[in-house]
Amino acid sequence: MHPLRQRFGRALRLGLVGGGPEPWIGPVHRGAAEMDGWFRCTAGVFSSDAARSRSAGAQLGFDA
């Protein structure tokens, strides 16, 4: 096991900036980050407008 993974004992948590549900690049980056199981996207800011960001996060399965 990689020393960093062994040290934390879990996937490292990522926060995303941008990449909401509309742009095609968001799912690409989230999928690539989580593909090997070393990272898990757990938070994000998906818009400069707070309400739209919360709505986008909910659409993507993030906790409010």
Side-chain angles (χ1 to χ4, degrees):
M1 180 182 288
H2 191 277
L4 187 60
R5 180 72 181 255
Q6 187 174 7
R7 177 179 172 194
F8 285 99
R10 60 169 169 73
L12 298 178
R13 292 174 282 202
L14 293 178
L16 303 169
V17 177
E22 293 87 24
W24 65 271
I25 198 66
V28 171
H29 283 271
R30 285 189 303 279
E34 295 182 340
M35 189 175 294
D36 64 3
W38 283 61
F39 299 95
R40 183 168 164 251
C41 298
T42 58
V45 177
F46 304 104
S47 172
S48 59
D49 178 86
R52 285 188 3 208
S53 183
R54 281 190 209 94
S55 175
Q59 288 177 29
L60 296 168
F62 290 90
D63 292 335

